Amino acid sequence: MADTAPAATESTTDLNLPLETVDPKVAELADAEARRQAEKIRLIPSENYVSRAVLDATATLLTNKYSEGYPGKRYYEGQQVIDQVERLAIERAQSLFEVEHANVQPYSGSPANLAVYLAFLEPGDKVMGMALPMGGHLTHGWSVSATGKWFRPIQYDVGRETGRVDLDQVRELALAERPKLIFCGGTAIPRLIDFEGFAAIAEEVEAILCADIAHIAGLVAGGAHPSPAPHADVISTTTHKTLRGPRGAMLMSREEHASALDRAVFPGLQGGPHNHTTAAIAVALHEAATEEFRAYAHQIVSNAKALADGLIERGFDLVSGGTDNHLILVDLTNKDIGGKPAAQALDRAGIELNYNTVPYDPRKPFDPSGIRLGTPAVTTRGMTPDDMPRVAGWIDAAVEAAKREDEPALEATAAEVRDFTSAFPLPGVAA
Ligand code: DSN
């Protein structure tokens, strides 16, 4: 118990004392995580480092307020300030993504996507999305998700040889099955998404098209990936990946779908919005509207291409042969090592990424053939394409060391990585 609970001293009842005094254990863990994030090369493509301003907004007293409803139509009094915060976030989302409507209340990506179902489908209706092992998302109708159990999923693949979506196959399937909702986007797609092509198919079968841009929202905002805004009925996104905001989500659409989406989020699925998160989303959107962020978005892609080239030079087999965005999916079959032991060894070597299925993976999802990596966080840290060959070299060295079960070699790489990362200040903390 002594390890997990603060000592019951008088000081814990003083509500103005800082964390390190009231709960040194939690403070210590937060510091340890900051050190870990500083010392690693963080390549999980859905992660980032938020700015100090985003962190500050997250830690405000806005967390104390309940505000079920929407600006001007709340179920609790005292919304004079919260309404302004939420309107600001909405206006910034509308302006940045050039959309008529934005809902900034979804708690995260999965609830946001569930709200899309609630807005447009009845249980048992057909939904079409990319299969999870091909790079889709659980909430696009995968069998273990509520969306695959309560709706009838139709799943499309990527080409076995190309690793890319084949829109002719998607169209054929859509015409045969006539889903009511089609998702494009996903979690392990290294190539551009043809929103216009998907919209043409959705229109032909009279389906709602939802573009899930959770991974690429920052690239879209920064002009480094085409925007779905002119094409999709609904845009769903998280706010904490390439967009570099707090953990949260947004739904955006044309005005005609505004009230269906709003009713689905509240009261359909959620209670009170997390107002401190809304404020931090507003800050992230403000940051994403700057020229610096546009440069950042393009640099993410340049870094990913440079890292992909470095890996290819070292004999790694990249799904689709490379990347157009922030993400690289590697099939390790030709390296004679599974994705999971490789990812675990890489973590010990100071390089953080995740094991992942690859299309048509003969292995199980908990022990798949691939690793997934990306460059949003290292780009925030200030790394450039010139740094990527070195990163690729460390990945190669760690994978070979893992095969030899050579722990000293992994430790040696971790030491080199610690030395390297110390030149890149940890974003989000005071200088
Ligand atoms: N967990 C997210 C990712 O890592 O891509 C998707 O929800």
Side-chain angles (χ1 to χ4, degrees):
M1 280 307 285
D3 238 1
T4 55
T9 63
E10 241 177 83
S11 68
T12 59
T13 60
D14 183 336
L15 299 185
N16 290 312
L17 289 172
L19 177 63
E20 49 280 17
T21 308
V22 176
D23 197 336
K25 187 71 201 166
V26 168
E28 205 179 284
L29 289 171
D31 283 348
E33 174 62 12
R35 265 196 311 281
R36 196 195 65 78
Q37 291 189 17
E39 290 176 354
K40 290 269 178 77
I41 296 178
R42 297 177 57 229
L43 293 172
I44 294 177
S46 48
E47 293 184 353
N48 213 326
Y49 295 92
V50 298
S51 68
R52 177 79 193 274
V54 167
L55 276 182
D56 284 351
T58 310
T60 56
L61 295 187
L62 295 163
T63 193
N64 290 342
K65 190 72 194 121
Y66 251 123
S67 49
E68 270 102 330
Y70 290 100
K73 289 175 284 178
R74 305 281 190 187
Y75 289 83
Y76 289 73
E77 294 313 312
Q79 307 297 340
Q80 295 83 354
V81 178
I82 298 298
D83 276 3
Q84 294 181 61
V85 170
E86 189 166 334
R87 282 200 179 102
L88 196 58
I90 290 169
E91 284 162 15
R92 287 177 178 174
Q94 288 168 321
S95 154
L96 185 65
F97 288 98
E98 298 178 324
V99 291
E100 290 173 5
H101 176 68
N103 185 312
V104 296
Q105 293 194 5
Y107 297 143
S108 205
S110 296
N113 284 350
L114 207 49
V116 179
Y117 288 80
L118 191 59
F120 300 108
L121 269 57
E122 296 295 329
D125 281 345
K126 286 184 184 172
V127 58
M128 187 164 167
M130 183 188 266
L132 182 68
M134 299 285 157
H137 190 256
L138 279 166
T139 58
H140 298 181
W142 188 241
S143 55
V144 297
S145 145
T147 63
K149 292 180 191 293
W150 297 343
F151 302 91
R152 277 192 291 161
I154 318 295
Q155 304 270 270
Y156 55 88
D157 303 328
V158 294
R160 199 180 270 274
E161 298 305 320
T162 61
R164 296 173 188 242
V165 171
D166 174 355
L167 277 186
D168 290 336
Q169 185 231 353
V170 175
R171 178 172 175 269
E172 218 171 280
L173 205 54
L175 283 169
E177 298 285 352
R178 304 204 71 90
K180 228 167 150 181
L181 171 64
I182 299 176
F183 276 97
C184 58
T187 61
I189 303 174
R191 294 297 181 179
L192 294 184
I193 301 167
D194 181 353
F195 297 120
E196 194 173 357
F198 272 102
I201 295 168
E203 192 179 1
E204 197 175 350
V205 301
E206 297 174 331
I208 292 285
L209 176 66
C210 179
D212 184 339
I213 62 165
H215 264 259
I216 55 168
L219 304 186
V220 171
H225 189 293
S227 170
H231 310 295
D233 296 293
V234 182
I235 301 170
S236 162
T237 187
T238 52
T239 47
H240 47 268
K241 299 184 173 89
T242 48
L243 193 55
R244 214 166 60 183
R247 302 196 84 87
M250 304 191 294
L251 287 170
M252 297 174 277
S253 71
R254 287 191 280 276
E255 194 53 42
E256 63 180 300
H257 299 310
S259 77
L261 288 170
D262 283 355
R263 273 186 280 113
V265 173
F266 174 84
L269 280 174
Q270 297 189 174
H274 296 172
N275 297 308
H276 55 305
T277 300
T278 308
I281 290 173
V283 174
L285 293 167
H286 179 62
E287 291 176 349
T290 59
E291 276 310 309
E292 288 91 331
F293 193 91
R294 285 186 81 78
Y296 164 66
H298 285 88
Q299 178 97 322
I300 290 175
V301 178
S302 312
N303 279 345
K305 285 180 186 294
L307 183 54
D309 288 347
L311 291 170
I312 290 166
E313 272 167 34
R314 288 164 179 81
F316 285 91
D317 179 12
L318 272 50
V319 172
S320 84
T323 182
D324 296 328
N325 55 29
H326 65 300
L327 184 145
I328 297 164
L329 189 57
V330 182
D331 184 342
L332 290 173
T333 307
N334 70 341
K335 294 279 182 186
D336 281 330
I337 184 168
K340 191 173 187 173
Q344 290 173 340
L346 281 155
D347 193 45
R348 295 201 292 285
I351 295 166
E352 188 187 357
L353 41 71
N354 66 277
Y355 60 86
N356 215 93
T357 52
V358 295
Y360 305 98
D361 204 328
R363 299 165 68 115
K364 298 268 180 275
F366 202 58
D367 184 22
S369 300
I371 49 175
R372 186 187 70 151
L373 55 155
T375 51
V378 294
T379 307
T380 295
R381 204 85 191 263
M383 293 177 202
T384 69
D386 288 344
D387 297 309
M388 294 303 122
R390 227 169 146 196
V391 175
W394 280 319
I395 292 173
D396 191 26
V399 165
E400 292 307 318
K403 284 159 63 175
R404 297 191 308 271
E405 298 183 8
D406 186 347
E407 284 305 315
L410 293 175
E411 277 163 34
T413 301
E416 285 179 38
V417 165
R418 268 197 304 279
D419 187 47
F420 171 72
T421 52
S422 66
F424 299 91
L426 182 66
V429 293

